[in-house]
Amino acid sequence: SETSNRGAEAMWSLWRRCSSDARAGIRSLLRSAGAAQESGHRALQAGRLAPATSSSSSSSSWSRSAREFSSKASSSSRIPPQAVSYGSLAVLMATGGGIAAYYRYLREEHVKEVKNLPSSGKAAVGGPWTLVGPNGQAFDSKSLEGEFSLLYFGFTFCPDICPDELEKIAESVDLVEKLTKRKVRPVFITIDPERDSTEIVNEYCEEFHPRLLGLTGSAEQIKRVTRLFRVYFSKTNDSAEDYLIDHSIISYLVDPEGNFVKFFGKNSTANDMAMEMKRFVDNWKNAHRNY
């Protein structure tokens, strides 16, 4: 059947992945199980034939024993089913249990090997950028260095998602400050430079947190920074003035040296974000005594 074929393929795949020592161990286990089963059958056969072979005094005794044996055999022409069933079941369970245990061992070893593989390096997210700050002047990423920052990409005309996320960000950075006595700078970067002027962004940010930094820029500047952080966004229609923007809902944690270290999705709560940021802040304090 299809199930049997899949099972056979899985066992064959497992067998091919086993080392030579592992295969030898399994073969030895199977040989031992087979030998035990064969010994059991021989013992049972010997018990059946004992009445016929134990006596050699006379032919009449032999005939009598043979008739008795034949009479018993007529009621059950095979080895007593119960005895054979229990013995075979025991051997089968021992064999299957041994193979299953060995398979678990191999699987655990494989998992350990995967966990111990070398890291491929830092995530290719983030990098240097230049935008327009609250005063209308150029503002580059180096201006955020020296403290952790939490970046969010959105637009001021967003009806619900952006306000909800910014309120969550504001709550989380306040909680981190209480827990660590260190500040995390919240940053809002618009993805709608056509409508979000510096004045509009400044007013928008004031609604959520006194330290929320609002940044805008040219279409090319926004395109570059969103590519650096792998931000998806797309206008939902072709109207030049009345449109919404579909975009990824992610907050990006950046360390005091400007390196991206963690992202938070929409399902992360303010408390989740705060506790994770606290971990990064504490680790940074331990590694940088002047922080």
Side-chain angles (χ1 to χ4, degrees):
S1 65
E2 184 180 350
T3 302
S4 299
N5 291 337
R6 286 199 300 268
E9 290 173 1
M11 290 299 294
W12 176 239
S13 176
L14 172 63
W15 177 260
R16 284 184 299 173
R17 290 198 299 269
C18 290
S19 63
S20 57
D21 291 340
R23 294 181 183 180
I26 294 175
R27 290 193 189 101
S28 177
L29 180 62
L30 291 174
R31 283 196 297 270
S32 298
Q37 187 175 21
E38 182 63 25
S39 297
H41 281 299
R42 284 200 299 269
L44 289 170
Q45 292 284 4
R48 285 181 56 189
L49 297 175
T53 58
S54 61
S55 176
S56 58
S57 60
S58 66
S59 60
S60 61
S61 176
W62 166 263
S63 299
R64 200 163 43 248
S65 297
R67 284 195 299 272
E68 292 174 358
F69 178 77
S70 177
S71 176
K72 293 178 181 179
S74 63
S75 62
S76 178
S77 59
R78 297 188 177 184
I79 300 172
Q82 187 178 25
V84 175
S85 176
Y86 288 157
S88 300
L89 180 60
V91 172
L92 179 62
M93 291 178 65
T95 304
I99 293 176
Y102 200 75
Y103 171 74
R104 286 195 297 270
Y105 166 76
L106 291 176
R107 183 176 59 183
E108 291 171 359
E109 290 299 311
H110 177 67
V111 170
K112 290 179 183 178
E113 291 176 2
V114 172
K115 288 183 177 180
N116 291 331
L117 288 175
S119 173
S120 59
K122 294 182 179 179
V125 176
W129 45 263
T130 299
L131 295 172
V132 176
N135 58 0
Q137 302 298 316
F139 187 99
D140 61 35
S141 53
K142 284 189 173 295
S143 301
L144 294 175
E145 294 182 5
E147 63 181 353
F148 280 89
S149 55
L150 188 61
L151 280 56
Y152 180 77
F153 295 82
F155 63 111
T156 63
F157 287 82
C158 182
D160 48 13
I161 297 298
C162 292
D164 290 345
E165 291 299 299
L166 289 173
E167 288 177 356
K168 183 172 67 175
I169 288 171
E171 182 181 351
S172 69
V173 296
D174 284 344
L175 183 55
V176 171
E177 185 176 356
K178 291 179 181 179
L179 294 173
T180 65
K181 308 304 179 184
R182 296 292 186 276
K183 294 181 178 180
V184 174
R185 182 66 180 266
V187 180
F188 171 80
I189 300 176
T190 183
I191 54 174
D192 187 16
E194 289 84 359
R195 294 184 298 186
D196 285 346
S197 65
T198 298
E199 293 77 12
I200 291 176
V201 170
N202 289 343
E203 292 177 5
Y204 184 73
C205 290
E206 290 174 359
E207 299 177 9
F208 299 99
H209 196 280
R211 291 193 298 109
L212 178 59
L213 174 66
L215 302 175
T216 185
S218 67
E220 188 60 32
Q221 287 175 318
I222 298 301
K223 183 178 180 180
R224 171 174 167 73
V225 70
T226 53
R227 282 184 174 177
L228 287 173
F229 285 90
R230 306 295 190 265
V231 178
Y232 162 80
F233 67 100
S234 177
K235 292 182 180 179
T236 57
N237 56 52
D238 296 329
S239 173
E241 298 178 358
D242 185 16
Y243 59 86
L244 294 176
I245 300 178
D246 184 23
H247 64 94
S248 52
I249 308 170
I250 297 176
S251 302
Y252 301 82
L253 181 64
V254 177
D255 70 21
E257 292 181 349
N259 301 309
F260 162 76
V261 293
K262 179 73 177 180
F263 72 85
F264 303 98
K266 184 176 183 297
N267 292 332
S268 298
T269 66
N271 187 71
D272 293 337
M273 295 169 65
M275 297 309 295
E276 189 67 7
M277 287 190 286
K278 176 184 180 301
R279 183 174 68 86
F280 280 100
V281 171
D282 289 342
N283 290 341
W284 191 269
K285 286 195 296 185
N286 293 333
H288 303 81
R289 297 300 180 183
N290 60 342
Y291 173 65

